[in-house]
């Protein structure tokens, strides 16, 4: 049996940032991950970073590539009824967002030489005894006694199941996103959110030479139904505007993502604390998932540091309730964006959608509310 101050389960953004912040404070930690390093560094996820989260990454010493390669956006475009409208976040709130892929954040954090064991198996967390157990990639079993265990292992991980008496909320939407990654320069300067009779579409970016685009499809849709030419044709239809052309290029990745909400509470049981997707999943429409996970890590790192350095438990005791307030704010915003932009279930609902969108682009108060939530409430 060995000992560390903090055992972290999961080497996603939340687990890695937590490990980085604790290491900067001189706190010992161990991070275990069941996937390989190459898998963790390659998996494609969200890429829109809130203003305050970009500052957080800089303060953690992992902002150099973000500042060099990230694409700072002052707002977004909303498209409906054949017209495109720009919402200027910087003018409305003084804040911006940065397009920078989650894969790059993970690479930046791993470049700091964190103590990560990849490809572990049989991971177990025991909050009663504050013990983390796992078998390393060489087949060697480990039992680690911890002061704190952080469950950052996602929806399918083992940590959430170790919280007894938890309450869970889940909502599944009647649509999914077909997402593509394409080696083609973006056709837009800022993200385009399009409401169209055929369904929602989103034009995002990954870099000046790589585009990320999405189409609303049925939740049971098969990828085989979408050859590349059909994807480009449908994207061109949903984004169509006079005088504007969608650039086409080689598609390097295609996937289908279900749209759902999942929230569990509490985010703590004894020495075990949940962060990231192990505690909450939100629809990607509002770009909140990655930002919530990193904010969880930041607050948890502060609370752990206060507990271990100053022997104060108030921040740890308040962690779950504090994060729940922010999670439900993000859930509300993401669901609102999702239901406003995706194809409505009937003509009456569609007219309400259009009324909401018209009001949004004509009311400074409504536009400011969206900008505040999008850039980081």
């Amino acid at each position: 049996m060995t000992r560390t101050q903090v055992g972290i389960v999961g080497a996603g953004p939340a687990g890695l940032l937590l490990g980085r912040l604790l290491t900067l404070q001189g706190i010992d930690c161990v991070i275990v991950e069941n996937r390989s390093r190459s898998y963790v560094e390659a998996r494609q996820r969200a890429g829109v970073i809130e203003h305050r989260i970009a500052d957080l990454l800089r303060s953690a010493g992992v902002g150099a590539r973000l500042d060099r390669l990230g694409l700072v956006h002052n707002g977004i475009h909303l498209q409906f009824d054949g017209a495109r409208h720009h919402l200027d976040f910087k003018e409305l709130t003084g804040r911006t967002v940065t397009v920078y892929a989650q894969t790059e954040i993970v690479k930046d954090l791993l470049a700091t030489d964190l103590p990560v064991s990849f490809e572990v198996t049989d991971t177990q967390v025991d909050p009663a005894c504050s013990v983390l157990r796992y078998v390393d990639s060489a087949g060697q079993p480990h039992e680690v006694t911890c002061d704190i265990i952080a469950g950052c292992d996602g929806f399918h991980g083992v940590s959430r199941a170790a919280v007894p008496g938890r309450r869970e909320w889940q909502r599944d939407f009647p649509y999914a996103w077909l997402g593509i990654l394409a080696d083609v320069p973006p056709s837009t300067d800022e993200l385009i959110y399009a409401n169209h009779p055929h369904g929602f579409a989103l034009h995002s970016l990954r870099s000046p030479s790589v585009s990320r685009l999405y189409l609303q499809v049925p939740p049971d849709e098969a990828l085989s139904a979408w050859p590349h030419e059909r994807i480009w044709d449908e994207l061109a239809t949903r984004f169509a505007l006079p005088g504007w052309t969608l650039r086409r290029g080689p598609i390097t990745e295609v996937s289908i993502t279900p749209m759902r909400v999942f929230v569990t509470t509490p985010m703590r049981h004894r020495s075990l604390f949940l962060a990231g997707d192990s505690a909450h999943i939100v629809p990607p429409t509002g770009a909140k998932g990655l930002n919530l996970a990193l904010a969880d890590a930041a607050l948890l790192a502060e609370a752990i540091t206060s507990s271990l350095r100053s022997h104060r438990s108030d921040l740890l005791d308040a962690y779950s309730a504090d994060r729940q307030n922010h999670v439900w704010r993000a859930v509300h915003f993401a669901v609102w964006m999702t239901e406003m932009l995706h194809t409505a279930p009937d003509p009456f609902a569609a007219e309400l959608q259009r009324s909401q969108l018209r009001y949004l682009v004509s009311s400074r108060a409504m536009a400011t509310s969206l900008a505040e939530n999008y850039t980081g409430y």
Side-chain angles (χ1 to χ4, degrees):
M1 178 178 288
T2 58
R3 196 183 191 292
T4 192
Q5 290 175 290
V6 182
I8 302 172
V9 186
L16 292 175
L17 180 60
L18 177 60
R20 171 62 176 172
L21 294 173
L22 294 175
T23 300
L24 289 173
Q25 294 298 321
I27 294 173
D28 295 331
C29 63
V30 169
I31 306 173
V32 297
E33 167 61 46
N34 65 346
R35 300 285 193 170
S36 67
R37 177 167 180 158
S38 60
Y39 178 91
V40 169
E41 289 184 330
R43 54 187 170 193
Q44 294 292 331
R45 292 292 188 272
V48 177
I49 309 302
E50 294 175 358
H51 192 93
R52 66 195 176 100
I53 297 300
D55 287 341
L56 169 64
L57 293 171
R58 295 183 187 104
S59 69
V62 289
R65 291 178 70 244
L66 167 70
D67 288 332
R68 188 170 73 252
L69 303 176
L71 305 176
V72 177
H73 286 190
N74 292 334
I76 60 171
H77 298 287
L78 287 178
Q79 183 171 325
F80 61 97
D81 288 346
R84 190 173 294 169
H85 308 264
H86 184 246
L87 297 185
D88 191 328
F89 295 165
K90 189 170 185 179
E91 192 272 330
L92 290 166
T93 68
R95 299 195 296 268
T96 61
V97 294
T98 302
V99 175
Y100 189 64
Q102 175 175 313
T103 50
E104 303 307 316
I105 294 174
V106 167
K107 291 174 185 176
D108 294 341
L109 288 164
L110 285 173
T112 63
D113 293 326
L114 289 169
V116 186
S117 295
F118 290 99
E119 298 183 80
V120 306
T121 57
D122 299 327
T123 304
Q124 300 174 30
V125 294
D126 184 346
C129 301
S130 200
V131 170
L132 168 64
R133 300 181 182 90
Y134 65 96
V135 177
D136 66 25
S137 59
Q140 182 68 34
H142 295 260
E143 187 168 298
V144 186
T145 301
C146 314
D147 293 310
I148 301 289
I149 301 174
C152 308
D153 48 344
F155 180 79
H156 298 290
V158 301
S159 297
R160 188 178 73 256
V163 178
R166 64 192 180 278
R167 184 178 182 186
E168 298 179 347
W169 291 263
Q170 182 161 335
R171 180 175 182 182
D172 297 307
F173 292 89
Y175 31 75
W177 277 11
L178 184 149
I180 70 163
L181 202 62
D183 284 337
V184 58
S187 306
T188 180
D189 56 339
E190 294 180 336
L191 279 69
I192 305 170
Y193 287 80
N195 172 283
H196 189 275
H198 287 197
F200 169 74
L202 171 62
H203 191 325
S204 184
L205 310 83
R206 280 295 177 266
S207 75
S209 61
V210 178
S211 297
R212 184 74 160 156
L213 303 103
Y214 300 91
L215 289 166
Q216 175 187 341
V217 297
D220 57 352
E221 192 76 308
L223 281 177
S224 59
W226 289 90
H228 291 187
E229 194 63 26
R230 183 190 177 193
I231 292 173
W232 285 120
D233 288 346
E234 188 59 28
L235 285 165
T237 296
R238 298 189 194 185
F239 289 123
L241 279 181
W244 184 86
T245 302
L246 177 69
R247 295 171 177 164
R248 304 188 182 205
I251 294 176
T252 58
E253 181 181 307
V254 185
S255 61
I256 290 182
T257 303
M259 301 288 285
R260 62 183 175 133
V261 172
F262 178 83
V263 180
T264 188
T265 186
M267 291 172 62
R268 175 190 185 176
H269 175 60
R270 295 189 177 184
S271 63
L272 172 64
F273 294 79
L274 303 181
D277 285 1
S278 63
H280 42 71
I281 296 172
V282 296
T285 323
K288 294 293 105 179
L290 173 61
N291 291 289
L292 273 179
L294 296 177
D296 287 350
L299 184 60
L300 186 53
E302 181 183 2
I304 291 172
T305 301
S306 177
S307 174
L308 297 182
R309 288 283 178 266
S310 305
H311 306 289
R312 291 179 50 189
S313 65
D314 53 324
L315 293 181
L316 280 178
D317 292 339
Y319 169 78
S320 181
D322 185 77
R323 290 312 299 156
Q324 286 288 309
N325 289 336
H326 288 82
V327 168
W328 281 108
R329 174 66 253 151
V331 167
H332 184 275
F333 175 67
V335 170
W336 177 72
M337 287 278 287
T338 299
E339 293 182 340
M340 178 174 63
L341 291 165
H342 289 70
T343 298
D346 57 69
F348 180 79
E351 290 302 321
L352 292 179
Q353 263 186 342
R354 293 170 66 195
S355 176
Q356 175 70 77
L357 286 163
R358 288 193 294 266
Y359 180 43
L360 174 58
V361 299
S362 62
S363 166
R364 184 178 179 87
M366 282 295 297
T368 300
S369 177
L370 187 152
E372 284 179 344
N373 282 274
Y374 200 100
T375 60
Y377 180 75

